[in-house]
């Protein structure tokens, strides 16, 4: 069973059901039932038209559910409306579905959570991690969003900023290696950039390209994480970097600075440095200051502390870190790094071990554990 194929087809199938009049919650349930049926049937009897098969089965599942809750006359009307099996349109509905999920009746945060769950294929745990909230809290938020849009006809698309937020979070999940969605997020952002002239769309596309350009160097052959300073820059995709920098420069020239452009500027400074030692950390701190003014994101202040530590020394970095909420993910890992830079190996080793215990994924946990072990070995000599 090709799970990647099923995942790629899901948004388009969901969009077809919504266009045919199914409310969002019922359509999502019907598509999930159709996917389960595909897992059962396709290994022995693969369809010639996978999307058409899923649309037909999902629509039937939706009708079956509707029949159980409506009067006999309404059930018969629905049966008459059932489309005959056949090839489905090859049009890519994914981006349209992103906009429809960003419905005006939802708050931006609820629209993002719903889209990530229903269209992006992310788990509630992954979405909660992206928002820095407990999984139970995010589950309630998604449930409320589904109830809000239940019965609403999706004919009023949401705003661009909400869709950009969704695409960015989908890309981050793909880039982390937990779910391979990064290329899909780039594809959709390219499509959006071709359709609308918006500097933040360009900023997001530039940011994605610059981060994705380093992907081949982010892990060692054994799957372990390679920190930015230790990456083989010869493995970076120079074509993607050049494209990202060009897109960013054109966006910045319009003098409408916003969050994604500022983040892309930081990524471009990293990409432009021939070696880690030649990184322009002073300018990176300045861009983090700009980003902090544009957002109220604590992760920005956390990353700024690292940059300050590189530009002005580890003690300046620790002073900046002291102003950041210590409950943030990676706060302990940053503290460990800055203490190591300051020569306090005992504290750094303890903090690396503590950070490993808090890590949300196995590669990060293994990396932090190795850092603790490395420092403990140095101290024992």
């Amino acid at each position: 069973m090709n799970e990647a194929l099923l995942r790629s087809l899901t948004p388009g199938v969901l969009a077809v059901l919504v266009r045919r009049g199914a409310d969002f919650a019922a359509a999502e349930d019907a598509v999930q039932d159709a996917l389960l049926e595909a897992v059962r049937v396709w290994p022995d009897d693969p369809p010639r038209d996978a999307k058409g098969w899923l649309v037909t089965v999902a629509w039937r599942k939706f009708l079956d559910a509707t029949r159980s809750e409506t009067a006999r006359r309404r059930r018969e009307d629905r049966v008459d409306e059932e489309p005959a099996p056949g090839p489905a349109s090859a049009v890519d509905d994914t981006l349209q579905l992103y906009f429809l999920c960003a419905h005006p009746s939802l708050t931006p945060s609820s629209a993002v959570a719903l889209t990530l769950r229903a269209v992006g294929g992310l788990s509630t745990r992954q979405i909660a991690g992206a928002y820095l909230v407990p999984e139970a809290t995010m589950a309630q938020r998604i449930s409320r969003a589904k109830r809000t849009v239940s019965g609403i006809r999706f004919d009023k698309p949401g705003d661009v900023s909400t869709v950009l937020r969704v695409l960015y979070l989908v890309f981050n999940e793909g880039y982390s290696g937990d779910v391979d969605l990064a290329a899909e997020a780039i594809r959709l952002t390219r499509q959006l950039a071709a359709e609308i002239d918006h500097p933040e769309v360009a900023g997001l596309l530039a940011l994605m390209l610059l981060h994705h350009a380093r992907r081949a160097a982010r892990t060692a052959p054994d799957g372990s994480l390679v920190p930015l300073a230790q990456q083989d820059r010869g493995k970076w995709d120079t074509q993607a970097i050049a494209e990202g920098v060009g897109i960013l420069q054109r966006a910045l020239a319009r003098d409408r600075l916003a969050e994604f452009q500022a983040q892309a500027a930081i990524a471009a400074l990293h990409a432009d440095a021939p070696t880690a030692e030649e990184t322009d950390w002073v300018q990176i701190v300045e861009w983090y200051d700009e980003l902090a003014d544009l957002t109220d994101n604590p992760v920005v202040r956390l990353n700024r502390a690292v940059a300050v530590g590189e530009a002005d020394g580890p003690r300046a970095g620790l002073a900046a870190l002291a102003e950041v909420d210590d409950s943030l993910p990676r706060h302990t890992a940053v503290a460990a790094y800055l203490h190591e830079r300051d020569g306090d190996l005992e504290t750094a080793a303890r903090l690396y071990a503590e950070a490993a215990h808090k890590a949300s994924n196995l590669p990060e946990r293994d990396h932090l554990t190795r850092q603790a072990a490395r420092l403990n070995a140095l101290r024992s000599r």
Side-chain angles (χ1 to χ4, degrees), residues 32-184:
Q32 293 302 317
D33 288 341
L35 293 176
L36 291 175
E37 187 74 4
V39 170
R40 185 181 68 82
V41 172
W42 285 11
D44 297 324
D45 186 20
R48 288 190 297 272
D49 178 14
K51 183 178 179 181
W53 189 99
L54 285 171
V55 168
T56 299
V57 173
W59 183 252
R60 287 175 176 166
K61 296 290 185 181
F62 165 71
L63 293 180
D64 288 344
T66 302
R67 292 181 190 122
S68 68
E69 299 173 359
T70 59
R72 186 177 187 83
R73 183 181 297 275
R74 183 59 177 159
R75 295 200 304 268
E76 292 173 350
D77 290 342
R78 285 290 190 182
V79 170
D80 291 339
E81 294 169 6
E82 181 178 340
S89 170
V91 175
D92 183 357
D93 302 299
T94 307
L95 190 58
Q96 179 191 14
L97 194 56
Y98 271 65
F99 272 94
L100 292 177
C101 285
H103 197 274
S105 64
L106 295 172
T107 63
S109 61
S110 294
V112 171
L114 178 63
T115 313
L116 289 171
R117 183 71 185 91
V119 188
L122 274 62
S123 68
T124 303
R125 176 186 60 79
Q126 290 168 322
I127 302 170
Y131 270 92
L132 308 179
V133 300
E135 184 174 349
T137 300
M138 182 53 64
Q140 292 174 353
R141 184 179 299 177
I142 294 172
S143 295
R144 284 196 300 270
K146 287 183 177 181
R147 288 196 298 270
T148 299
V149 300
S150 179
I152 291 177
R153 189 163 186 83
F154 278 63
D155 54 0
K156 296 181 179 179
D159 61 30
V160 173
S161 61
T162 299
V163 173
L164 291 179
R165 180 65 52 195
V166 175
L167 290 169
Y168 181 51
L169 292 175
V170 170
F171 174 81
N172 278 342
E173 283 299 331
Y175 193 68
S176 73
D178 198 8
V179 180
D180 190 11
L181 295 170
E184 172 68 357

Side-chain angles (χ1 to χ4, degrees), residues 165 168 172 200 203-204 206-207 210-211 248 257-270 287-288 291 294-295 297 300 303:
R165 180 65 52 195
Y168 181 51
N172 278 342
E200 267 297 78
L204 178 58
L207 177 62
L210 290 165
H211 279 315
L248 173 63
L257 182 65
E259 178 181 357
F260 292 125
Q261 295 170 65
Q263 290 192 52
I266 294 169
L269 285 167
H270 283 297
W287 275 110
Y288 272 121
L291 193 53
L294 291 167
T295 71
N297 190 333
V300 170
N303 291 335

Side-chain angles (χ1 to χ4, degrees), residues 264-302:
I266 294 169
L269 285 167
H270 283 297
D272 189 53
T275 65
E277 293 73 22
E278 295 174 86
T279 303
D280 189 346
W281 286 106
V282 173
Q283 194 172 351
I284 287 175
V285 172
E286 292 173 355
W287 275 110
Y288 272 121
D289 289 338
E290 292 275 5
L291 193 53
D293 288 340
L294 291 167
T295 71
D296 189 27
N297 190 333
V299 176
V300 170
R301 295 193 294 274
L302 181 67

